[in-house]
DNA sequence: ATTATTTTTGCAACAATGTCGCATTTTATA
DNA sequence: TATAAAATGCGACATTGTTGCAAAAATAAT
């Protein structure tokens, strides 16, 4: 789907900043931080705009954050199935989704209820394993 | 195990700062951030010391970081089994381990190898579900 | 199409967290 | 007890998160 259509679908106004940022996500398989995007939009988009856009995209459900042990929040476009594994490569540092891996169900202790999950596998990716 | 014995076991020198911090972990079920510990050690321990101690504890394997979507790193004492679920309550905000839940194995796509994993379930905890 | 209204942006500023060098103090070792 | 090694406190700075506000852009109304 094209960037503009995504914004329309989610009822967000069409601005060049948002189109730029969405375009970057569409052309990138990996999870991206605010900084990653900043580096690709130097002089084009203000930091605050990127921050707020990412926040808006998260709230509307266009992207979702990936849980990592680090201090940086990284985002990826939402994809099917909604629940899927994430993978972090200790070699190249990239974080990506593995939507092809079938998720499994966990029985939580009594009293606990699940809303969502964020599973991260850490290791080396197919690209770094050669 | 007592704080001092843990330091001995991991070959770390015995200092009051480390004992204090370890004591906090031993008396606390939840995952703790640098800030959480700071608040409990005002005037006792410098921020840099806490930061470095946490780092050392992580490197030696006394604690491990929990992956969350936020920007803050939270740690818990390592426990058996090594791999276990983490739970984040959207109500009280606490993050804890669920070592009693049996972990399952995932077949990764070819080329990917796993070193470890960091699984976070998000929902409401037994305390907030009443 | 033009104007009015609503949103978004850029800038500036500040808070929280991560990180490190360095002199001083503390711990471990000889 | 003296010496070498390690940890601490302080200060400083980088990065990321976050917000107010006026200017600019986008959407809605005329």
């Amino acid at each position: 789907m094209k960037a503009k259509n995504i914004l329309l679908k989610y009822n967000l106004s069409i601005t060049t900043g948002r189109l730029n940022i969405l375009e970057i996500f569409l052309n990138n398989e990996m999870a991206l931080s605010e900084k990653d995007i900043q580096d690709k939009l130097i002089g084009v988009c203000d930091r605050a705009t990127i921050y707020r856009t990412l926040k808006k995209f998260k709230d509307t459900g266009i992207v979702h954050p990936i849980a990592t042990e680090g201090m940086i929040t990284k985002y990826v476009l939402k994809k099917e199935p909604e629940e899927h594994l994430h993978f972090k490569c200790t070699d190249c540092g990239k974080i990506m989704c593995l939507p092809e891996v079938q998720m499994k169900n966990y029985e939580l202790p009594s009293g606990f209820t699940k809303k969502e999950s964020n599973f991260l596998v850490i290791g080396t990716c197919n690209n770094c394993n050669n």
Side-chain angles (χ1 to χ4, degrees), chain A:
Chain A
M1 200 188 296
K2 290 250 274 295
K4 188 172 171 185
N5 295 48
I6 295 177
L7 293 178
L8 288 170
K9 175 180 167 191
Y10 285 92
N11 254 41
L12 298 180
S13 36
I14 318 290
T15 70
T16 46
R18 287 178 181 168
L19 290 173
N20 280 328
I21 294 172
L22 252 183
E23 214 59 71
I24 290 174
F25 275 109
L26 288 167
N27 293 316
N28 198 306
E29 281 296 296
M30 310 306 160
L32 300 169
S33 66
E34 186 198 305
K35 182 68 165 50
D36 295 331
I37 293 171
Q38 244 184 84
D39 292 344
K40 293 174 193 283
L41 292 179
I42 295 172
V44 179
C45 235
D46 187 69
R47 205 167 73 83
T49 300
I50 297 174
Y51 167 73
R52 281 186 284 228
T53 300
L54 252 21
K55 198 173 183 179
K56 179 133 282 188
F57 282 4
K58 185 184 70 174
D59 292 343
T60 54
I62 295 179
V63 302
H64 72 269
I66 289 187
T68 65
E69 316 98 321
M71 66 182 278
I72 300 171
T73 309
K74 295 217 175 208
Y75 299 92
V76 287
L77 284 179
K78 275 203 183 171
K79 54 194 69 172
E80 294 303 325
E82 182 81 32
E83 293 222 316
H84 54 254
L85 278 191
H86 297 143
F87 189 90
K88 176 178 169 186
C89 179
T90 52
D91 248 53
C92 62
K94 285 180 183 162
I95 297 177
M96 60 203 91
C97 297
L98 296 180
E100 63 269 50
V101 178
Q102 170 80 44
M103 293 296 282
K104 293 170 181 177
N105 196 49
Y106 291 88
E107 188 80 25
L108 297 181
S110 92
F112 287 81
T113 43
K114 164 186 158 186
K115 282 181 192 146
E116 48 178 320
S117 63
N118 214 321
F119 287 5
L120 182 71
V121 175
I122 300 160
T124 41
C125 73
N126 54 351
N127 200 46
C128 295
N129 259 336
N130 300 321

